[in-house]
Structures are given as C-alpha cells and as structure tokens.
Amino acid sequence: MNLHRPLGTLSDGENAVELHPEDAGWAYTGLRVLLLHPGQSRTIDTGEFEAFVLPLSGGCAVEVDGERFELAGRDSVFTRVTDFAYVPRDATVVLSTKDGVEVALPMARAERRLAPKYGPAEDVPVEVRGAGSATRQVTNFGVPGVWDHADKLIACELITPDGNWSSYPPHKHDDTCEVVNEEIYYFRVAGRDGVTPSRDGFGFHRTYTDDGTIDEDVTVRDGDVFLIPRGYHGPCVAAPGYPLYYLNVLAGPGADRSMAFCDDPAHTWVRDSWRTQPLDPRCPVTTAEGRTA
C-alpha cells in the first residue's frame, strides 16, 4: 500500500482530497478537503459517516437537519484557532460561502446518529507539548474529554514551529496497545512568511513497525496526506524556515473513543529530558484571538 499520498493524488476533480476508508485499505477513517469559490455552495450526503466541518481558510455556513451554523473560520491554519461544526451520519449538509473557503471534513464511519452541533473557537483548548526543539502546539478541538459529541471520530490540529520536531517520541495506536485507531495525517506547510501555505516548503515524516513491514521516511509538502494503518509514527520535522501544520484524524473499532498510545520503548526516555529544557517561546503559535506573535 502507498501510505504517502502527495497533493493531487487524492483529488477527484471537485475535491482537493477525497479519501474514504476503502481507499486507505481500512474500515473507519476518512477525509475530504473541499474548495468553494466566492458565492458557491455544495451539498454533501454524509451516508455512514459523521464528520467535522473545519475551515482551513475562509469561512462558511453549514446547514443540516434544519439548523444553520455560521463558521467565521480563519485566514490560514497558521493564523488562528477556528470554530467548527459537527455533522451526523445519514444527513444532507449544505455548505455555502460568501467570500470563498477551503474546508476539511475529517470523518469516521459511525454507528450512532447524533445531533448536529457548533464548536466555538474560544472553547477549543490549546496545549503546548514537549520542550526545547520538540515544542509544538496541539489544538484539541475534537478529542475525547474535550469534545465528546461523536460516536467514533477523533481529530486535532498540530503546529510545529520551523526547525522543531513533533509526534515525538514515536508512538502507535494498534493491537499491542490499549486502543486500536486508524490515523490520517493531513499536512499544510507555510511559506517564507510563516502564514501562507506553499509548496515551496517541506517537512519530514517517519512511520515504521517493529517487524520492518512498514519503514517509511518521506518528505511532505503542503497538501500531502500520510496514512497510518499501524506502527510507530514520528517524528514530524518542520524544516527551518517552514512551519508545519497537520490535521490528525483517528477512528477505530473500540466502543469508547480514545487516543491512548504506546511509545517506542527505545525512545520514551526523551520525555523525561524535557523536564530540564525550556519551552520554545514561539508556542502557542495561535489562539482563538489570533497569532500570539
């Protein structure tokens, strides 16, 4: 299976990314990324899937089950924490925009049908994780304990300042751990202004298994997707000069949503070293009010 899907390889002509579980060779997790031009609308039938409507740039209205949510959105994933909406399975969703929007729909095959719900940006916790050159921002908008209004779907955003490492130490969510999750990494890379996504910049990503059946070290650029069916993943490294964002989407067969993980035991000691290292002052990069610097 090709786990690295560069920009364009998952496009169907209408969508920048159209990834269903069958495309990934697994059962639950998917992702769509849509671009709507000014004044445009799009109707989506969710079918078996619940989803978040997450603006990446611009804002949009979401109409579903007789409700309407106005998402203010943001200029880019590097400028602000955004508001979002949850939409259930078996729903017809209408997205519309006045000024244009690029929007991600992380999704998961769901068993229960829940009500639509709005998620305000000011209620989204922003966590600074790691220390030293492993300092990064985690935006926990759709994780268990923060957002429990979902059946299977889990999602969060990460921003790694240029030159830093994230998803480190390497960790996994599979059958030797407490929980099994399929996971998608969707990357955006800022250009030289640190804000505007650009294919000029790049980062690095690693995924591997103990038995060597997966051993991937790849260069990722803006708009790329990486699939993690199993095994340790990390680090993700932002090249100097190019901040790195990724959207994590997870789902699995467990009755309870969980992000439990197992570190690679060879590298878990690194966590203890952070106690004596200062945090990178560039984190957090963004809040609901905007950039911190």
Side-chain angles (χ1 to χ4, degrees):
M1 181 195 303
N2 182 13
L3 302 180
H4 181 209
R5 310 290 180 93
L7 176 69
T9 58
L10 291 171
S11 175
D12 66 357
E14 272 195 333
N15 305 317
V17 175
E18 178 78 8
L19 176 68
H20 291 275
E22 292 74 18
D23 303 319
W26 55 37
Y28 294 96
T29 311
L31 175 67
R32 296 178 74 178
V33 178
L34 317 178
L35 177 63
L36 278 67
H37 298 290
Q40 190 177 7
S41 64
R42 183 83 66 87
T43 299
I44 298 165
D45 292 317
T46 59
E48 300 176 88
F49 298 92
E50 60 183 349
F52 292 122
V53 180
L54 183 77
L56 301 172
S57 63
C60 65
V62 182
E63 296 176 73
V64 56
D65 286 4
E67 297 196 59
R68 180 182 174 93
F69 307 123
E70 295 283 351
L71 305 185
R74 51 191 168 184
D75 291 336
S76 112
V77 296
F78 298 101
T79 60
R80 181 177 178 268
V81 173
T82 187
D83 53 353
F84 64 97
Y86 169 88
V87 295
R89 61 166 291 162
D90 301 317
T92 297
V93 181
V94 179
L95 305 179
S96 59
T97 180
K98 178 183 176 183
D99 300 316
V101 68
E102 186 177 26
V103 60
L105 277 75
M107 59 190 192
R109 183 170 274 122
E111 297 171 2
R112 296 181 296 144
R113 190 183 196 277
L114 307 179
K117 190 173 180 180
Y118 172 70
E122 56 268 24
D123 290 349
V124 175
V126 174
E127 174 189 359
V128 176
R129 191 175 294 173
S133 60
T135 309
R136 63 274 198 177
Q137 170 179 328
V138 185
T139 306
N140 289 309
F141 75 93
V143 304
V146 172
W147 184 270
D148 292 326
H149 190 78
D151 182 44
K152 297 287 188 183
L153 180 59
I154 301 170
C156 63
E157 302 178 293
L158 285 92
I159 298 178
T160 311
D162 67 285
N164 281 13
W165 296 47
S166 59
S167 285
Y168 197 75
H171 60 281
K172 64 179 180 177
H173 323 267
D174 63 30
D175 57 8
T176 62
C177 295
E178 176 184 336
V179 66
V180 175
N181 276 321
E182 308 157 351
E183 185 169 7
I184 297 169
Y185 275 60
Y186 171 65
F187 294 95
R188 305 307 303 261
V189 183
R192 64 175 62 192
D193 66 0
V195 168
T196 308
S198 169
R199 292 284 288 179
D200 291 341
F202 61 96
F204 298 100
H205 173 85
R206 174 157 172 72
T207 290
Y208 60 97
T209 55
D210 286 321
D211 62 8
T213 55
I214 297 175
D215 191 0
E216 298 272 354
D217 298 283
V218 299
T219 300
V220 293
R221 295 185 182 273
D222 186 64
D224 287 5
V225 170
F226 198 94
L227 309 177
I228 302 171
R230 64 186 186 282
Y232 297 110
H233 35 285
C236 292
V237 186
Y242 300 106
L244 179 69
Y245 162 100
Y246 47 92
L247 171 64
N248 282 152
V249 189
L250 303 93
D256 298 318
R257 294 163 66 237
S258 172
M259 293 188 73
F261 62 87
C262 302
D263 281 341
D264 183 336
H267 304 296
T268 194
W269 67 268
V270 173
R271 293 187 186 277
D272 291 333
S273 73
W274 293 340
R275 297 174 186 170
T276 59
Q277 298 181 47
L279 298 177
D280 187 323
R282 294 177 294 176
C283 289
V285 179
T286 62
T287 67
E289 288 72 40
R291 287 181 66 87
T292 60

